[in-house]
Amino acid sequence: MSRSHVPPLIAAAACWGFGAAVSKQAVSHLPPTALLVVQLASSLALMTVVGARSFRRDRPSLRVALLGVVNPELAYLLSLAGLATITAGLSVLLWAVEPVFILGLAWALSARRPSTRVLIASAVAVVGAAVAATGEVSGGALGGVVLTVAAVGCCAVYAVAAGEWPETSSASAVVAAQQGVALLFGLSVLGVAAVAGLDVSVSDVPVVGWLSAVLSGVLYYGLAFWAFITGLRRTSPSVAGIYVALVPVFGVAAGWVLVGERLTFSRVLGGALVVAAVAAVSRSGTATELRPVAFGR
């Protein structure tokens, strides 16, 4: 059975995980709202170059392009707002339920029950991500929890909608269109923040800040979304969602490699559970047990 969806979905998770680590460096130099604009502009520049020919030949539909407002724009803003009142560990724990959100939403919309293997793998992946966050969760506020869950919901809606809506343009053109819309929305938010007197200044940003902002934009938004859309075209949203659970695993690896963060037993055990769940689905060819997404080839 074809497993062509596996490499791009793993690549997407890796880009999100390592991109998040680079973003931590960038956000220490740029205000979050300004950082998002720089990241999206960097991603859009890359995707415009890569998908220029396809974009001229067959532009993505408006409704697919508007998904960029849902993710990354709203998802990112809600997640940042949530982080203002909860710990990073609790945020990771809440994001661990994203595969379940995707699974449930895809199940409700397609009226097709996922296979038992997919259900079990999703549960194991969520448990693994939760175990990886154990020991880092030190509390939080209800408002922050609600905002973070809303951000997770935005990402789930994006994954399912992107998988259910037919589209013939290349993955790079789709990402360029979505992130172009997100950038316009982000610029409007930046303008409102400036008028409101919030800190959006980038006048004293060092070179390392700009480099990390651009690199994180290319990784976290450009390459990650490109790879995810490519993989999503070859399988169902339910199966693709399981690979999202690999993001914190790559995030832990990035923290260890890039900034020397300590590898705790819970992180290693949780990561092993997630990898085992993803491997079980990858080896079984479960992608064909659900209705494939309707993207054009």
Side-chain angles (χ1 to χ4, degrees), residues 63-294:
R63 66 176 183 177
V64 168
L66 288 176
L67 282 176
V69 175
V70 178
N71 187 28
E73 186 64 41
L74 285 179
Y76 179 91
L77 292 176
L78 289 169
S79 180
L80 277 183
L83 274 174
T85 58
I86 65 176
T87 63
L90 180 54
S91 177
V92 170
L93 185 59
L94 293 172
W95 277 97
V97 303
E98 184 179 352
V100 175
F101 274 38
I102 294 173
L103 181 67
L105 188 58
W107 187 350
L109 293 179
S110 66
R112 295 284 298 276
R113 181 185 181 277
S115 70
T116 301
R117 186 181 294 270
V118 169
L119 291 172
I120 293 175
S122 296
V124 172
V126 170
V127 170
V131 169
T134 300
E136 301 179 37
V137 180
S138 58
L142 178 60
V145 171
V146 171
L147 289 170
T148 303
V149 171
V152 176
C154 285
C155 289
V157 168
Y158 173 87
V160 175
E164 294 294 333
W165 289 346
E167 184 57 60
T168 57
S169 297
S170 70
S172 56
V174 169
V175 174
Q178 291 174 346
Q179 297 194 2
V181 170
L183 178 59
L184 291 175
F185 192 85
L187 286 170
S188 65
V189 172
L190 185 64
V192 171
V195 171
L198 300 179
D199 179 22
V200 295
S201 174
V202 295
S203 58
D204 298 321
V205 177
V207 174
V208 67
W210 289 114
L211 290 177
S212 58
V214 171
L215 178 59
S216 61
V218 169
L219 283 174
Y220 198 86
Y221 295 110
L223 296 179
F225 277 82
W226 184 16
F228 185 74
I229 290 294
T230 299
L232 189 59
R233 290 182 169 187
R234 302 170 184 176
T235 188
S236 68
S238 299
V239 171
I242 296 174
Y243 289 82
V244 175
L246 286 171
V247 174
V249 176
F250 282 110
V252 168
W256 178 52
V257 172
L258 299 178
V259 296
E261 291 184 354
R262 186 168 57 93
L263 286 179
T264 63
F265 175 75
S266 61
R267 286 179 172 182
V268 174
L269 176 60
L273 288 172
V274 172
V275 171
V278 172
V281 173
S282 300
R283 289 197 304 267
S284 69
T286 307
T288 60
E289 296 178 22
L290 290 169
R291 179 176 58 83
V293 294

Side-chain angles (χ1 to χ4, degrees), residues 11-80:
C15 288
W16 274 319
F18 277 81
V22 180
S23 292
K24 290 180 182 179
Q25 173 70 23
V27 79
S28 65
H29 298 289
L30 285 85
T33 307
L35 173 60
L36 177 59
V37 169
V38 175
Q39 289 175 322
L40 288 173
S42 303
S43 170
L44 180 59
L46 172 66
M47 291 296 102
T48 299
V49 171
V50 173
R53 182 175 300 178
S54 172
F55 198 85
R56 288 194 299 267
R57 182 179 66 250
D58 192 6
R59 295 184 181 181
S61 63
L62 178 60
R63 66 176 183 177
V64 168
L66 288 176
L67 282 176
V69 175
V70 178
N71 187 28
E73 186 64 41
L74 285 179
Y76 179 91
L77 292 176
L78 289 169
S79 180
L80 277 183

